[in-house]
Amino acid sequence: MIYSAHVATNTVREIYLALAIGDHFSFRVDEYANIHSDLFEKEGFGWHIGANPGASMLGAVPYFLSRPLIDRIVDRVNRARAAEGPKEIPKYDSPWPARREFYQEAWRRGFDVKFGLAAIVMQWFCMAPICALGAVLMFYVLRRVFHSDRVGFWLALLYAFGTPVFFRAGFLNQNMILGHFAFAGFLFLWNPGQDFRWPATARWFLGGLAGGASLLLDYSGVVFLTGLFCYAVAKAWEAGPLRRVIRCASYFVLGSFGPILLLWFYQWRSFGNPFFPGQHWMPPVEWIDVGYRGFTWAQPELMWHLLFDYRYGLFVTCPLMLLALLSPWWNRGEKRAVAMPEFAAMLLIPLGLWLFCSGISYTRLQYNNGLRYLAPLLPFLYVAVALVLVRIPRRLAYFIPILAVAQAWSMAMSRDVASGFGALDPVVHVFIGGFQLPLLTLMSRMSSGQYGNYTSLGVSPLPIFAVVAALIVVIWWRGQYTAPGPNADDAAEERFVMENVSR
């Protein structure tokens, strides 16, 4: 509910493919030609997006289910506009010229309401639930690492609302979904606390499925697919003979086949070749002439920018992650809370992603998107951060999360990281201008039309915050618990429990 309240109507490239799948069960986005810079035409195959299709396929599910309602609303709005005859395009008071031009073009084609409703539906029923499930998985891990539900609970809340996960949960995007899927695969393989009662073969298969899904979501997922495979093989080698290692590798590869075959099918249907990515066919953009379509060896300049750029650098958008650099000191010897294979995987996989993304020349173009390319490493690094948080002095351990939540929540509310102080600009906006919500900010910029009379002076999010808070209190309220009195079944129940514990 908290993620959904911070929904943003950003019409990103993944939404166009999701609309095409939901509307026509097609990968072609011809009707949206020339409306977005990441849409391009390949002769004989129509228009497509320059990205992997995984996030669009997920977003298409809730959109398809909601189509009867969305189509009805869009048809009614467009019929009303047609009945009124030609008129001036409503003004959208965005500070960014490209966004004003996009809104005008979407309104001219009759897509503005459709885009807005589709973005909301995909965030409410796809992106927000996936990110919320990611927080639940983080709680599951931390409660086992620290042997405390209470510690795991508060640290999971900090992960959900004190990191850029909060920011990325605002709209459909493949990078953060990739991180959640890969982390879920890591948990299947790790099985902390031995709570998964499934056979090892099932967990290997699910780990491979998550790795393959990571590749279906984005080609940077090859880092997670490779990292999870190496971790699974290392765990199998540690636990048994060579026969076990071969079985582990076989089941992992088998699990990854499904998503990879789906990716190949998409590329074959969209571009006529199953093995070349969409970036291979897209027209030239800035930096694409470097290496293979913009991909080359790691570049020191990009390595620095990915960590410290004031608009999208990891340690600027989330200084909390700096604590991960201290985790090897705290997780050693008798202080070790996470075994070495898992700890190494949680540090080496993010390191691999950092090196991989520093070879993608057009990562420089993410300046208006905030933390994006490195978003998948957040759940892996956060466990290392938690290892440090629980051991530093308590006052400092309380003060640091307050600052982290203040920054992360400000970014989720304001979202503007391309101007002023970059990633710190949302903090300034919120502390000076007050609380915000992206959807209400959008409505307040519609200075004419249906909402103009009510939103031209701004819209306060406080009533929405109050409603969400009240619902959360109702959900979590348990009332006073009264222990039942003794009965004849108590002894039998105790014997049953002890027998199962022994077993």
Side-chain angles (χ1 to χ4, degrees):
M1 288 190 299
I2 295 174
Y3 284 156
S4 296
H6 293 77
V7 58
T9 56
N10 297 42
T11 309
V12 293
R13 61 187 177 185
E14 287 78 18
I15 286 181
Y16 301 102
L17 178 56
L19 293 175
I21 296 173
D23 287 335
H24 316 297
F25 293 101
S26 171
F27 297 143
R28 296 179 59 152
V29 295
D30 296 26
E31 59 189 309
Y32 309 116
N34 297 311
I35 203 171
H36 192 283
S37 59
D38 280 340
L39 306 184
F40 64 92
E41 182 181 20
K42 184 178 187 295
E43 186 175 354
F45 291 89
W47 287 75
H48 298 278
I49 68 171
N52 287 19
S56 301
M57 292 175 175
L58 293 173
V61 175
Y63 170 71
F64 174 77
L65 297 176
S66 63
R67 264 196 64 198
L69 178 60
I70 292 179
D71 289 348
R72 188 173 180 179
I73 295 174
V74 172
D75 290 343
R76 182 174 179 179
V77 170
N78 289 339
R79 282 199 305 268
R81 290 178 181 174
E84 294 175 2
K87 67 175 185 178
E88 184 181 357
I89 298 177
K91 186 178 179 181
Y92 175 46
D93 296 323
S94 171
W96 302 103
R99 297 180 185 182
R100 295 196 297 267
E101 294 172 4
F102 169 75
Y103 173 74
Q104 292 173 359
E105 183 64 21
W107 189 92
R108 191 180 295 113
R109 298 195 195 186
F111 290 143
D112 55 322
V113 176
K114 180 176 183 177
F115 286 164
L117 293 177
I120 292 172
V121 165
M122 293 179 197
Q123 196 272 352
W124 279 0
F125 301 105
C126 177
M127 193 68 203
I130 288 176
C131 290
L133 180 58
V136 173
L137 293 178
M138 184 60 66
F139 165 72
Y140 170 79
V141 173
L142 297 178
R143 70 192 290 258
R144 288 305 181 188
V145 169
F146 300 115
H147 308 287
S148 170
D149 285 355
R150 184 181 183 86
V151 173
F153 170 74
W154 287 109
L155 287 174
L157 284 186
L158 178 60
Y159 167 73
F161 305 117
T163 70
V165 172
F166 201 176
F167 173 75
R168 300 309 302 178
F171 60 91
L172 184 70
N173 67 100
Q174 80 277 24
N175 304 96
M176 198 66 252
I177 298 178
L178 190 163
H180 295 313
F181 275 41
F183 191 65
F186 178 63
L187 295 191
F188 290 137
L189 298 172
W190 179 7
N191 194 16
Q194 304 300 311
D195 285 340
F196 292 133
R197 300 299 182 183
W198 311 323
T201 53
R203 293 191 291 105
W204 295 332
F205 180 88
L206 290 174
L209 183 65
S214 300
L215 189 62
L216 179 64
L217 286 158
D218 191 83
Y219 266 102
S220 64
V222 69
V223 175
F224 294 91
L225 176 62
T226 305
L228 293 178
F229 177 79
C230 293
Y231 169 71
V233 169
K235 289 284 288 185
W237 184 278
E238 182 184 46
L242 180 61
R243 182 176 66 255
R244 180 182 177 87
V245 176
I246 296 175
R247 289 184 65 206
C248 169
S250 301
Y251 276 95
F252 187 97
V253 171
L254 183 64
S256 67
F257 263 175
I260 293 176
L261 290 176
L262 182 56
L263 174 62
W264 288 347
F265 173 75
Y266 165 79
Q267 292 175 166
W268 170 67
R269 289 288 296 173
S270 299
F271 311 112
N273 188 303
F275 304 117
F276 283 119
Q279 291 86 342
H280 179 82
W281 312 102
M282 68 183 186
V285 296
E286 190 176 3
W287 303 104
I288 203 171
D289 57 334
V290 179
Y292 169 68
R293 308 299 289 175
F295 185 77
T296 182
W297 298 106
Q299 305 171 46
E301 178 190 3
L302 280 180
M303 294 171 69
W304 172 265
H305 284 314
L306 286 168
L307 297 181
F308 296 106
D309 189 280
Y310 73 102
R311 297 158 298 184
Y312 57 82
L314 172 65
F315 296 139
V316 176
T317 55
C318 188
L320 182 68
M321 290 295 158
L322 286 167
L323 295 179
L325 302 178
L326 304 176
S327 59
W329 172 262
W330 294 103
N331 191 66
R332 62 188 180 92
E334 296 180 356
K335 299 179 180 179
R336 182 172 295 161
V338 177
M340 186 51 65
E342 287 72 30
F343 185 69
M346 287 188 292
L347 294 184
L348 292 178
I349 291 177
L351 176 63
L353 180 66
W354 176 49
L355 295 175
F356 181 90
C357 292
S358 65
I360 304 175
S361 299
Y362 43 82
T363 55
R364 298 175 177 90
L365 304 180
Q366 66 177 323
Y367 60 87
N368 62 343
N369 292 317
L371 178 70
R372 177 184 165 193
Y373 283 85
L374 294 187
L377 60 74
L378 290 174
F380 290 87
L381 275 189
Y382 184 78
V383 178
V385 170
L387 293 174
V388 178
L389 272 177
V390 298
R391 290 182 170 88
I392 61 178
R394 180 163 297 184
R395 291 184 179 179
L396 188 59
Y398 290 155
F399 180 68
I400 291 176
I402 291 174
L403 295 181
V405 171
Q407 181 184 9
W409 191 15
S410 297
M411 290 182 63
M413 286 189 285
S414 179
R415 309 197 69 83
D416 182 10
V417 298
S419 62
F421 301 103
L424 299 179
D425 210 53
V427 180
V428 177
H429 284 172
V430 170
F431 274 78
I432 293 177
F435 293 112
Q436 306 172 28
L437 281 176
L439 185 58
L440 298 183
T441 300
L442 172 77
M443 294 171 61
S444 68
R445 290 174 176 171
M446 302 291 184
S447 59
S448 61
Q450 182 177 356
Y451 305 108
N453 296 333
Y454 304 100
T455 64
S456 59
L457 298 178
V459 183
S460 172
L462 296 181
I464 295 178
F465 288 160
V467 171
V468 171
L471 291 173
I472 292 174
V473 169
V474 170
I475 290 172
W476 281 86
W477 181 257
R478 290 293 181 266
Q480 184 177 1
Y481 174 73
T482 303
N487 56 66
D489 295 331
D490 283 350
E493 182 178 355
E494 183 177 353
R495 285 195 302 271
F496 174 79
V497 171
M498 293 307 297
E499 288 173 0
N500 278 274
V501 169
S502 300
R503 185 179 305 120

